[in-house]
Amino acid sequence: YVGANGQFVFSSETMSALSAAYDTMANASEWAAGDDVDITSGDDTATCQTYTMSIPTEALGAFFVDAFDALLRDDYIALMMESSLSTTAPGQSYDEFVDSIIADMEASLAESPEGTVDATFYVAEEQLRGVEFSMPGADGSSLDGFVFFGAGSNVADRFDMELTITDADGGATPFMSITSEGDHTGESGKFTDATVIDIMGAMTME
């Protein structure tokens, strides 16, 4: 929802669900420090310390299912996306649409072999700037993803996320992408945002 200062924030229920999903995954994983690298988001570049998190595939899959379920059911996200649903999937309720997305994720993740996935976290000035991972599937496919945040003074002003399903032959199918930029912290005195969300190429919201 939009707070008193005009700034977008997730509901407390959404944030609690995301925090619980992350804590469950982190408790099942192992951490190690890596090298410094430069990452770019938008027009900004930052030098980041990398940290590798070795995550059991089952724990990572559960995290993504729980996190996306929480995000898609957030009141503000639902309000924005329901307006597009009437044209892209007439006759289907928003809850039914989310249920189908989550079911597709669970079906895909159920085929992942047992093992671990190494996710790389990028940190600069004690702020998380990005996460990158590749989750292998049993048939040689993988779920590849990244989340990068703006590297300027206000990291929250830029957000890029992309999830892609890559088949055994290297063919890539976009699953979900989000690009968001603007004055998300209201530093200029006014909250602004330009966001594009695309889900499986079937729904695009701007």
Side-chain angles (χ1 to χ4, degrees):
Y1 63 94
V2 178
N5 64 349
Q7 182 176 351
F8 164 74
V9 291
F10 287 122
S11 69
S12 58
E13 291 83 0
T14 299
M15 295 304 298
S16 294
L18 292 174
S19 178
Y22 174 80
D23 288 344
T24 299
M25 178 183 68
N27 290 337
S29 307
E30 296 182 358
W31 290 85
D35 298 328
D36 289 354
V37 299
D38 289 339
I39 67 167
T40 299
S41 179
D43 297 327
D44 295 315
T45 299
T47 299
C48 299
Q49 167 74 55
T50 60
Y51 297 90
T52 299
M53 189 177 186
S54 184
I55 313 166
T57 53
E58 184 176 355
L60 181 61
F63 167 75
F64 278 112
V65 168
D66 292 343
F68 275 102
D69 187 73
L71 287 170
L72 292 174
R73 295 187 195 280
D74 181 80
D75 290 343
Y76 187 77
I77 297 297
L79 181 64
M80 291 192 298
M81 297 185 67
E82 280 180 331
S83 61
S84 300
L85 189 62
S86 60
T87 56
T88 57
Q92 186 179 41
S93 72
Y94 183 71
D95 282 341
E96 290 173 336
F97 172 74
V98 174
D99 287 344
S100 68
I101 293 293
I102 297 302
D104 287 344
M105 286 188 70
E106 290 177 327
S108 178
L109 292 168
E111 299 176 359
S112 299
E114 293 185 2
T116 59
V117 174
D118 288 336
T120 301
F121 293 76
Y122 300 88
V123 178
E125 299 177 357
E126 299 183 349
Q127 292 181 310
L128 179 64
R129 298 297 177 87
V131 183
E132 194 167 15
F133 71 91
S134 180
M135 186 172 184
D139 58 355
S141 65
S142 64
L143 176 65
D144 306 316
F146 70 78
V147 178
F148 286 158
F149 301 97
S153 59
N154 288 323
V155 177
D157 287 348
R158 174 83 188 196
F159 173 82
D160 295 282
M161 185 198 77
E162 184 171 317
L163 292 177
T164 302
I165 298 174
T166 304
D167 62 32
D169 296 324
T173 301
F175 181 76
M176 176 182 286
S177 66
I178 300 175
T179 299
S180 178
E181 58 184 333
D183 186 355
H184 294 164
T185 61
E187 183 179 9
S188 66
K190 181 181 179 181
F191 171 81
T192 62
D193 176 71
T195 297
V196 178
I197 302 175
D198 184 275
I199 300 177
M200 300 178 70
M203 173 180 284
T204 300
M205 181 187 67
E206 300 185 17

